[in-house]
Amino acid sequence: MRTLLLTLLVVFPSLALAQHWEVNGIEGTFGDANAACRAALKDAPVLEFAPPARKPEGEESPDRIFRECWAREKGGSSSDGGNPASKHTIAWFSPAKENEPDEKKEEKTAAGKEAQRGCTRETDFSWFPSLEKSSLNAAGKDVVPDMKPGSCLLGSQSAGGRLFSGSQKKVRADRLKKEAKPVGEHYFLKHKGLIIDPTFFQFFQVGDHPGLVFVGTEAQLVQAADKLLAQCGANPASNDSKSGLEFKAANFTDAKLCNAGSTLELRESGFGEYKSTICDAPKGK
């Protein structure tokens, strides 16, 4: 895979419409997100591409954030009764700074300054209902927060498996998916009434803060979102909610079971993993 991506980087640098993408940690130059995904999942017979949940205001192309790339065997997607996806990855848009027009650079500089008006590494988040202050602290010692928009898909899988192995197979958190309209979705975990979200901070302007894993009730989620919206502001790439109740409704309320905690099992690596890495619940369940 690395050889293919690097080859594409060398062969196509002069294309007028070429875009820079990062796939599986490797940067390359491709015509679009689909080409980047196909390079990363080159052995897959069929590919499906999901658009990002939102695009920044004024951005012409929704591709210029990230794209989810799903691979499946021939025979149709799980939604139409065919084969479910077997592989997936995410392509991140990474513009070439030297090729950006000056006005675009100025917009990004202004946007960066605006983001820094929110919260930073020095902001006091001692009030936040975090994993460290919860009953799952010991089990979640290996759970890592992620603040990048779109990270919930893989972050929730990893967090569920690590809570399982870290608790000596006692914590079996269900993995849920909330579908947003018109496009997009959010993945998170739930265990004994507690919502567990390692990517909670992706929805807010928190600057260079390393992030925290949210663990709390629905009421705590609304309160935390209200405070983060007031103190830090919403991340325009992932959150257009004006209140904690709107935030909860958009990303958590009426979420569907994706992977049941009962399907968790230990791997040779020592970490837990859901039997399926995609949503396996029957439609409507």
Side-chain angles (χ1 to χ4, degrees), residues 97-128:
K97 296 180 181 179
E98 65 276 10
N99 296 328
E100 287 185 311
D102 291 339
E103 60 270 20
K104 197 67 177 180
K105 293 178 181 179
E106 292 175 1
E107 289 176 10
K108 289 195 171 184
T109 299
K113 291 180 179 178
E114 179 65 27
Q116 288 303 315
R117 292 176 187 171
C119 297
T120 67
R121 183 176 292 272
E122 285 71 39
T123 302
D124 180 11
F125 286 115
S126 60
W127 56 269
F128 188 79

mmCIF file of all heavy atoms in Angstrom, residues 97-128:
data_model
loop_
_atom_site.group_PDB
_atom_site.id
_atom_site.type_symbol
_atom_site.label_atom_id
_atom_site.label_comp_id
_atom_site.label_asym_id
_atom_site.label_seq_id
_atom_site.Cartn_x
_atom_site.Cartn_y
_atom_site.Cartn_z
ATOM 1 N N LYS A 97 0.022 23.803 0.684
ATOM 2 C CA LYS A 97 0.092 25.205 1.089
ATOM 3 C C LYS A 97 0.733 26.084 0.013
ATOM 4 O O LYS A 97 0.327 27.212 -0.198
ATOM 5 C CB LYS A 97 0.881 25.310 2.395
ATOM 6 C CG LYS A 97 0.192 24.615 3.563
ATOM 7 C CD LYS A 97 1.009 24.748 4.838
ATOM 8 C CE LYS A 97 0.317 24.035 5.989
ATOM 9 N NZ LYS A 97 1.095 24.133 7.244
ATOM 10 N N GLU A 98 1.722 25.556 -0.690
ATOM 11 C CA GLU A 98 2.414 26.384 -1.670
ATOM 12 C C GLU A 98 1.534 26.699 -2.875
ATOM 13 O O GLU A 98 1.813 27.625 -3.633
ATOM 14 C CB GLU A 98 3.700 25.703 -2.136
ATOM 15 C CG GLU A 98 3.499 24.390 -2.904
ATOM 16 C CD GLU A 98 3.345 23.190 -1.985
ATOM 17 O OE1 GLU A 98 3.206 23.406 -0.766
ATOM 18 O OE2 GLU A 98 3.379 22.053 -2.483
ATOM 19 N N ASN A 99 0.463 25.894 -3.092
ATOM 20 C CA ASN A 99 -0.405 26.107 -4.244
ATOM 21 C C ASN A 99 -1.673 26.870 -3.898
ATOM 22 O O ASN A 99 -2.505 27.114 -4.767
ATOM 23 C CB ASN A 99 -0.792 24.764 -4.875
ATOM 24 C CG ASN A 99 0.428 24.047 -5.433
ATOM 25 O OD1 ASN A 99 1.363 24.690 -5.887
ATOM 26 N ND2 ASN A 99 0.408 22.733 -5.395
ATOM 27 N N GLU A 100 -1.865 27.241 -2.660
ATOM 28 C CA GLU A 100 -3.073 27.935 -2.258
ATOM 29 C C GLU A 100 -3.016 29.408 -2.658
ATOM 30 O O GLU A 100 -1.978 30.057 -2.500
ATOM 31 C CB GLU A 100 -3.255 27.855 -0.736
ATOM 32 C CG GLU A 100 -3.668 26.483 -0.246
ATOM 33 C CD GLU A 100 -3.956 26.511 1.248
ATOM 34 O OE1 GLU A 100 -3.116 27.042 1.990
ATOM 35 O OE2 GLU A 100 -5.015 26.025 1.645
ATOM 36 N N PRO A 101 -4.131 29.932 -3.165
ATOM 37 C CA PRO A 101 -4.154 31.369 -3.477
ATOM 38 C C PRO A 101 -4.049 32.184 -2.197
ATOM 39 O O PRO A 101 -4.429 31.728 -1.121
ATOM 40 C CB PRO A 101 -5.519 31.553 -4.145
ATOM 41 C CG PRO A 101 -6.350 30.401 -3.660
ATOM 42 C CD PRO A 101 -5.384 29.259 -3.509
ATOM 43 N N ASP A 102 -3.523 33.408 -2.315
ATOM 44 C CA ASP A 102 -3.298 34.242 -1.141
ATOM 45 C C ASP A 102 -4.576 34.486 -0.352
ATOM 46 O O ASP A 102 -4.559 34.483 0.879
ATOM 47 C CB ASP A 102 -2.696 35.586 -1.568
ATOM 48 C CG ASP A 102 -1.269 35.431 -2.088
ATOM 49 O OD1 ASP A 102 -0.644 34.406 -1.754
ATOM 50 O OD2 ASP A 102 -0.797 36.323 -2.819
ATOM 51 N N GLU A 103 -5.706 34.692 -1.060
ATOM 52 C CA GLU A 103 -6.945 34.973 -0.330
ATOM 53 C C GLU A 103 -7.393 33.776 0.499
ATOM 54 O O GLU A 103 -7.970 33.923 1.575
ATOM 55 C CB GLU A 103 -8.060 35.393 -1.296
ATOM 56 C CG GLU A 103 -8.444 34.375 -2.355
ATOM 57 C CD GLU A 103 -7.636 34.536 -3.632
ATOM 58 O OE1 GLU A 103 -6.546 35.161 -3.565
ATOM 59 O OE2 GLU A 103 -8.081 34.054 -4.681
ATOM 60 N N LYS A 104 -7.097 32.561 0.004
ATOM 61 C CA LYS A 104 -7.463 31.361 0.756
ATOM 62 C C LYS A 104 -6.606 31.248 2.008
ATOM 63 O O LYS A 104 -7.081 30.872 3.072
ATOM 64 C CB LYS A 104 -7.270 30.114 -0.117
ATOM 65 C CG LYS A 104 -7.986 28.886 0.400
ATOM 66 C CD LYS A 104 -9.479 29.058 0.328
ATOM 67 C CE LYS A 104 -10.197 27.788 0.792
ATOM 68 N NZ LYS A 104 -11.648 27.931 0.737
ATOM 69 N N LYS A 105 -5.315 31.585 1.883
ATOM 70 C CA LYS A 105 -4.421 31.546 3.033
ATOM 71 C C LYS A 105 -4.870 32.558 4.083
ATOM 72 O O LYS A 105 -4.840 32.289 5.286
ATOM 73 C CB LYS A 105 -2.990 31.840 2.597
ATOM 74 C CG LYS A 105 -2.378 30.762 1.719
ATOM 75 C CD LYS A 105 -0.969 31.144 1.297
ATOM 76 C CE LYS A 105 -0.362 30.066 0.402
ATOM 77 N NZ LYS A 105 0.995 30.425 -0.051
ATOM 78 N N GLU A 106 -5.298 33.736 3.611
ATOM 79 C CA GLU A 106 -5.761 34.766 4.543
ATOM 80 C C GLU A 106 -7.009 34.314 5.275
ATOM 81 O O GLU A 106 -7.173 34.554 6.475
ATOM 82 C CB GLU A 106 -6.039 36.064 3.776
ATOM 83 C CG GLU A 106 -4.776 36.722 3.225
ATOM 84 C CD GLU A 106 -5.101 37.933 2.367
ATOM 85 O OE1 GLU A 106 -6.311 38.249 2.226
ATOM 86 O OE2 GLU A 106 -4.164 38.562 1.843
ATOM 87 N N GLU A 107 -7.915 33.616 4.551
ATOM 88 C CA GLU A 107 -9.126 33.110 5.185
ATOM 89 C C GLU A 107 -8.777 32.096 6.266
ATOM 90 O O GLU A 107 -9.355 32.106 7.349
ATOM 91 C CB GLU A 107 -10.028 32.445 4.138
ATOM 92 C CG GLU A 107 -10.686 33.422 3.183
ATOM 93 C CD GLU A 107 -11.483 32.700 2.114
ATOM 94 O OE1 GLU A 107 -11.661 31.476 2.245
ATOM 95 O OE2 GLU A 107 -11.924 33.357 1.157
ATOM 96 N N LYS A 108 -7.817 31.219 5.964
ATOM 97 C CA LYS A 108 -7.428 30.206 6.940
ATOM 98 C C LYS A 108 -6.750 30.836 8.142
ATOM 99 O O LYS A 108 -6.935 30.389 9.275
ATOM 100 C CB LYS A 108 -6.498 29.174 6.285
ATOM 101 C CG LYS A 108 -7.206 28.278 5.296
ATOM 102 C CD LYS A 108 -6.372 27.068 4.968
ATOM 103 C CE LYS A 108 -7.163 26.069 4.149
ATOM 104 N NZ LYS A 108 -6.403 24.838 3.902
ATOM 105 N N THR A 109 -5.952 31.868 7.908
ATOM 106 C CA THR A 109 -5.299 32.560 9.020
ATOM 107 C C THR A 109 -6.337 33.192 9.929
ATOM 108 O O THR A 109 -6.261 33.093 11.158
ATOM 109 C CB THR A 109 -4.348 33.654 8.495
ATOM 110 O OG1 THR A 109 -3.345 33.038 7.686
ATOM 111 C CG2 THR A 109 -3.692 34.393 9.645
ATOM 112 N N ALA A 110 -7.341 33.837 9.309
ATOM 113 C CA ALA A 110 -8.411 34.459 10.094
ATOM 114 C C ALA A 110 -9.201 33.411 10.844
ATOM 115 O O ALA A 110 -9.560 33.594 12.016
ATOM 116 C CB ALA A 110 -9.327 35.255 9.164
ATOM 117 N N ALA A 111 -9.464 32.271 10.177
ATOM 118 C CA ALA A 111 -10.216 31.200 10.827
ATOM 119 C C ALA A 111 -9.429 30.631 12.003
ATOM 120 O O ALA A 111 -9.986 30.300 13.043
ATOM 121 C CB ALA A 111 -10.522 30.090 9.812
ATOM 122 N N GLY A 112 -8.102 30.527 11.817
ATOM 123 C CA GLY A 112 -7.269 30.017 12.902
ATOM 124 C C GLY A 112 -7.283 30.933 14.105
ATOM 125 O O GLY A 112 -7.352 30.492 15.243
ATOM 126 N N LYS A 113 -7.228 32.242 13.844
ATOM 127 C CA LYS A 113 -7.280 33.203 14.943
ATOM 128 C C LYS A 113 -8.622 33.154 15.650
ATOM 129 O O LYS A 113 -8.703 33.268 16.866
ATOM 130 C CB LYS A 113 -7.016 34.614 14.403
ATOM 131 C CG LYS A 113 -5.587 34.835 13.935
ATOM 132 C CD LYS A 113 -5.396 36.251 13.418
ATOM 133 C CE LYS A 113 -3.943 36.481 12.979
ATOM 134 N NZ LYS A 113 -3.753 37.838 12.422
ATOM 135 N N GLU A 114 -9.676 32.971 14.860
ATOM 136 C CA GLU A 114 -11.014 32.891 15.450
ATOM 137 C C GLU A 114 -11.112 31.676 16.361
ATOM 138 O O GLU A 114 -11.679 31.725 17.445
ATOM 139 C CB GLU A 114 -12.061 32.797 14.339
ATOM 140 C CG GLU A 114 -13.497 32.691 14.846
ATOM 141 C CD GLU A 114 -13.961 33.929 15.586
ATOM 142 O OE1 GLU A 114 -13.446 35.032 15.308
ATOM 143 O OE2 GLU A 114 -14.833 33.787 16.470
ATOM 144 N N ALA A 115 -10.532 30.537 15.892
ATOM 145 C CA ALA A 115 -10.574 29.318 16.697
ATOM 146 C C ALA A 115 -9.835 29.506 18.010
ATOM 147 O O ALA A 115 -10.250 29.004 19.050
ATOM 148 C CB ALA A 115 -9.957 28.156 15.899
ATOM 149 N N GLN A 116 -8.724 30.259 17.983
ATOM 150 C CA GLN A 116 -7.953 30.454 19.190
ATOM 151 C C GLN A 116 -8.665 31.348 20.205
ATOM 152 O O GLN A 116 -8.249 31.444 21.341
ATOM 153 C CB GLN A 116 -6.590 31.059 18.824
ATOM 154 C CG GLN A 116 -5.661 30.065 18.136
ATOM 155 C CD GLN A 116 -5.424 28.823 18.961
ATOM 156 O OE1 GLN A 116 -5.187 28.898 20.165
ATOM 157 N NE2 GLN A 116 -5.519 27.659 18.338
ATOM 158 N N ARG A 117 -9.729 32.031 19.751
ATOM 159 C CA ARG A 117 -10.503 32.829 20.692
ATOM 160 C C ARG A 117 -11.350 31.935 21.596
ATOM 161 O O ARG A 117 -11.946 32.402 22.552
ATOM 162 C CB ARG A 117 -11.414 33.794 19.919
ATOM 163 C CG ARG A 117 -10.649 34.878 19.167
ATOM 164 C CD ARG A 117 -11.578 35.723 18.347
ATOM 165 N NE ARG A 117 -10.838 36.653 17.502
ATOM 166 C CZ ARG A 117 -11.382 37.395 16.554
ATOM 167 N NH1 ARG A 117 -12.676 37.329 16.324
ATOM 168 N NH2 ARG A 117 -10.642 38.212 15.840
ATOM 169 N N GLY A 118 -11.438 30.665 21.261
ATOM 170 C CA GLY A 118 -12.185 29.735 22.076
ATOM 171 C C GLY A 118 -11.315 29.210 23.205
ATOM 172 O O GLY A 118 -10.628 29.959 23.882
ATOM 173 N N CYS A 119 -11.296 27.881 23.357
ATOM 174 C CA CYS A 119 -10.548 27.272 24.450
ATOM 175 C C CYS A 119 -9.167 26.811 23.968
ATOM 176 O O CYS A 119 -8.950 26.627 22.771
ATOM 177 C CB CYS A 119 -11.333 26.099 25.011
ATOM 178 S SG CYS A 119 -12.916 26.595 25.728
ATOM 179 N N THR A 120 -8.256 26.618 24.905
ATOM 180 C CA THR A 120 -6.886 26.221 24.578
ATOM 181 C C THR A 120 -6.414 25.163 25.567
ATOM 182 O O THR A 120 -7.167 24.706 26.434
ATOM 183 C CB THR A 120 -5.923 27.421 24.657
ATOM 184 O OG1 THR A 120 -5.825 27.850 26.025
ATOM 185 C CG2 THR A 120 -6.428 28.580 23.814
ATOM 186 N N ARG A 121 -5.167 24.812 25.441
ATOM 187 C CA ARG A 121 -4.564 23.826 26.341
ATOM 188 C C ARG A 121 -4.619 24.304 27.797
ATOM 189 O O ARG A 121 -4.656 23.492 28.726
ATOM 190 C CB ARG A 121 -3.107 23.579 25.912
ATOM 191 C CG ARG A 121 -2.374 22.523 26.707
ATOM 192 C CD ARG A 121 -0.997 22.316 26.122
ATOM 193 N NE ARG A 121 -1.067 21.697 24.810
ATOM 194 C CZ ARG A 121 -1.083 20.381 24.611
ATOM 195 N NH1 ARG A 121 -1.047 19.557 25.641
ATOM 196 N NH2 ARG A 121 -1.136 19.893 23.387
ATOM 197 N N GLU A 122 -4.614 25.620 27.993
ATOM 198 C CA GLU A 122 -4.609 26.167 29.352
ATOM 199 C C GLU A 122 -6.011 26.264 29.972
ATOM 200 O O GLU A 122 -6.153 26.576 31.152
ATOM 201 C CB GLU A 122 -3.985 27.565 29.344
ATOM 202 C CG GLU A 122 -2.469 27.574 29.210
ATOM 203 C CD GLU A 122 -2.011 27.158 27.825
ATOM 204 O OE1 GLU A 122 -2.667 27.563 26.842
ATOM 205 O OE2 GLU A 122 -1.019 26.402 27.730
ATOM 206 N N THR A 123 -7.053 26.007 29.191
ATOM 207 C CA THR A 123 -8.417 26.121 29.707
ATOM 208 C C THR A 123 -8.672 25.082 30.795
ATOM 209 O O THR A 123 -8.270 23.924 30.683
ATOM 210 C CB THR A 123 -9.443 25.934 28.574
ATOM 211 O OG1 THR A 123 -9.205 26.914 27.566
ATOM 212 C CG2 THR A 123 -10.860 26.091 29.099
ATOM 213 N N ASP A 124 -9.351 25.491 31.850
ATOM 214 C CA ASP A 124 -9.659 24.601 32.965
ATOM 215 C C ASP A 124 -10.910 23.783 32.640
ATOM 216 O O ASP A 124 -12.019 24.310 32.558
ATOM 217 C CB ASP A 124 -9.889 25.423 34.238
ATOM 218 C CG ASP A 124 -10.220 24.541 35.440
ATOM 219 O OD1 ASP A 124 -10.055 23.306 35.334
ATOM 220 O OD2 ASP A 124 -10.647 25.086 36.465
ATOM 221 N N PHE A 125 -10.731 22.486 32.438
ATOM 222 C CA PHE A 125 -11.856 21.587 32.175
ATOM 223 C C PHE A 125 -12.065 20.618 33.351
ATOM 224 O O PHE A 125 -12.549 19.501 33.161
ATOM 225 C CB PHE A 125 -11.624 20.788 30.893
ATOM 226 C CG PHE A 125 -11.786 21.582 29.632
ATOM 227 C CD1 PHE A 125 -10.715 21.806 28.788
ATOM 228 C CD2 PHE A 125 -13.015 22.123 29.296
ATOM 229 C CE1 PHE A 125 -10.853 22.547 27.623
ATOM 230 C CE2 PHE A 125 -13.171 22.861 28.133
ATOM 231 C CZ PHE A 125 -12.093 23.069 27.296
ATOM 232 N N SER A 126 -11.717 21.052 34.547
ATOM 233 C CA SER A 126 -11.867 20.186 35.718
ATOM 234 C C SER A 126 -13.336 19.856 35.991
ATOM 235 O O SER A 126 -13.638 18.867 36.658
ATOM 236 C CB SER A 126 -11.245 20.847 36.950
ATOM 237 O OG SER A 126 -11.871 22.095 37.220
ATOM 238 N N TRP A 127 -14.239 20.670 35.461
ATOM 239 C CA TRP A 127 -15.667 20.452 35.653
ATOM 240 C C TRP A 127 -16.221 19.371 34.721
ATOM 241 O O TRP A 127 -17.314 18.834 34.939
ATOM 242 C CB TRP A 127 -16.435 21.750 35.351
ATOM 243 C CG TRP A 127 -16.151 22.282 33.973
ATOM 244 C CD1 TRP A 127 -15.186 23.167 33.617
ATOM 245 C CD2 TRP A 127 -16.826 21.919 32.759
ATOM 246 N NE1 TRP A 127 -15.215 23.395 32.263
ATOM 247 C CE2 TRP A 127 -16.210 22.643 31.703
ATOM 248 C CE3 TRP A 127 -17.879 21.065 32.462
ATOM 249 C CZ2 TRP A 127 -16.620 22.523 30.378
ATOM 250 C CZ3 TRP A 127 -18.288 20.941 31.141
ATOM 251 C CH2 TRP A 127 -17.664 21.674 30.112
ATOM 252 N N PHE A 128 -15.484 19.038 33.669
ATOM 253 C CA PHE A 128 -15.988 18.153 32.616
ATOM 254 C C PHE A 128 -16.176 16.720 33.127
ATOM 255 O O PHE A 128 -15.303 16.173 33.815
ATOM 256 C CB PHE A 128 -14.995 18.159 31.454
ATOM 257 C CG PHE A 128 -15.485 17.432 30.229
ATOM 258 C CD1 PHE A 128 -16.380 18.027 29.364
ATOM 259 C CD2 PHE A 128 -15.039 16.149 29.948
ATOM 260 C CE1 PHE A 128 -16.815 17.361 28.225
ATOM 261 C CE2 PHE A 128 -15.472 15.481 28.817
ATOM 262 C CZ PHE A 128 -16.368 16.080 27.947
#
